Amino acid sequence: MTVTDVGEFGLIDRVTARLAQGQSCLLGPGDDGAVVAAPDRRVVASTDVLVEGRHFRRDWSAARDVGHRAAAANLADIAAMGAIPTALLVALCMPAELDPAWAEELADGLGAEAALVGASVVGGDMSASPTLTIAVTALGDLAGRPPVVRSGARPGDVVALAGRTGWAAAGYTVLSRGFRTPRLLVEAFRRPEVPYAAGPAAAAAGATAMIDVSDGLLADLGHVAAASGVAIDLSREAFEVPRQMRDAAAALGVDPYTWILAGGDDHALAATFPPDAALPDGWRPVGRVAAGAGVTVDGAGYDGPRGWDHFRRTAE
């Protein structure tokens, strides 16, 4: 059976039947638009796209894993603004010969990841396309707080990290070399573990700037440094290399710090805090903000790769 056999509206019925609705959803799929509660009277919105062959491969990841990744990439952006995710809108463009079960399992992953933060998939669209593409828009609520933007870092601030970096990049390298183990690293690439609650917690603790680490820590902190007009220096000693990553790096001939400092897709959160602020649970200091420009490591420029570039690197 293919999606052509089921038809657009038949597939929509199959998919939406699998999606539970959270408390923020006042009207879910089935009409021209959904209705989502916005208690704060402001809505944080973010969009991301996953393209087959560029961001995922079906021989590497199950449909449910792709659903988790697609949702996580957008929900993490909402958390990085200091907001609480409320809803997802999903557009799915797919080849006509795709098995409808793949789309159903994708929906399972999207719904399960959204449920981790009390959000729900409230609507979207479907279309035929020669390239399998998933476009997700996430919405969030600021709960009365100002958004935490990239331009607020100041000299003297502490740079802190919540979550892990390097795991997904290590898993990508393992898969790209034709291996399927260590499983812990491969699963980190397939399905990120995002510290969603750390975003609102950082906002409540007075974070001055924050960003989702999706393209690599050096690259993403570079956005913070540029937006804030400051320099950021990271301490290599702040980053522990887990045993599995160290062993995989030795076997593959890779410097593990390349994964940790330049690898994306783990969706950790990086933030800056005033020097006298108490870091919330789950946050650890990894560097300092100073006057100047750019991002350095231990006071020196980093000569390795700095992160993902969507127009250069592929998932091949």
Side-chain angles (χ1 to χ4, degrees):
M1 183 179 294
T2 67
V3 294
T4 299
D5 299 322
V6 175
E8 177 185 357
F9 298 106
L11 185 58
I12 289 173
D13 289 342
R14 285 175 175 236
V15 166
T16 55
R18 308 170 83 95
L19 298 171
Q21 301 303 315
Q23 293 183 348
S24 296
C25 178
L26 305 181
L27 180 66
D31 284 87
D32 289 334
V35 180
V36 179
D40 183 77
R41 301 182 65 186
R42 297 171 297 170
V43 176
V44 179
S46 180
T47 297
D48 206 19
V49 174
L50 272 72
V51 179
E52 184 176 19
R54 192 72 182 174
H55 303 99
F56 69 92
R57 286 175 37 169
R58 278 184 277 167
D59 60 331
W60 285 4
S61 302
R64 189 179 180 100
D65 293 329
V66 176
H68 276 275
R69 284 191 67 202
N74 289 270
L75 296 170
D77 283 336
I78 300 300
M81 298 296 293
I84 300 168
T86 57
L88 296 176
L89 295 158
V90 182
L92 176 60
C93 301
M94 63 202 123
E97 66 274 11
L98 186 72
D99 187 334
W102 196 93
E104 293 172 348
E105 292 170 15
L106 174 77
D108 290 342
L110 287 162
E113 190 70 23
L116 294 176
V117 293
S120 48
V121 181
V122 299
D125 194 18
M126 292 183 181
S127 178
S129 169
T131 303
L132 182 55
T133 303
I134 306 146
V136 182
T137 296
L139 307 177
D141 178 60
L142 286 163
R145 292 184 295 266
V148 184
V149 295
R150 300 177 181 183
S151 57
R154 298 292 180 264
D157 282 354
V158 175
V159 181
L161 189 71
R164 61 192 190 183
T165 63
W167 292 67
Y172 172 91
T173 304
V174 168
L175 288 166
S176 66
R177 301 285 182 91
F179 302 106
R180 294 295 184 269
T181 57
R183 187 173 180 83
L184 194 66
L185 301 180
V186 171
E187 290 302 319
F189 170 80
R190 289 173 173 160
R191 192 179 297 190
E193 295 181 3
V194 185
Y196 295 116
T208 54
M210 187 155 49
I211 194 168
D212 161 39
V213 183
S214 56
D215 295 329
L217 185 61
L218 292 173
D220 287 319
L221 283 177
H223 299 318
V224 173
S228 299
V230 297
I232 291 176
D233 185 55
L234 299 176
S235 171
R236 186 182 294 253
E237 290 184 354
F239 301 93
E240 178 185 359
V241 181
R243 177 185 58 79
Q244 298 91 336
M245 190 183 297
R246 184 174 62 250
D247 292 347
L252 297 171
V254 176
D255 178 356
Y257 284 100
T258 298
W259 292 332
I260 291 170
L261 296 175
D265 289 329
D266 284 298
H267 297 291
L269 301 180
T272 59
F273 293 85
D276 57 350
L279 297 183
D281 290 343
W283 287 90
R284 65 187 190 278
V286 295
R288 287 279 179 179
V289 180
V295 181
T296 55
V297 179
D298 292 335
Y302 185 76
D303 58 4
R306 301 183 73 85
W308 172 279
D309 185 323
H310 290 273
F311 289 94
R312 294 179 182 173
R313 180 177 168 188
T314 68
E316 299 297 336

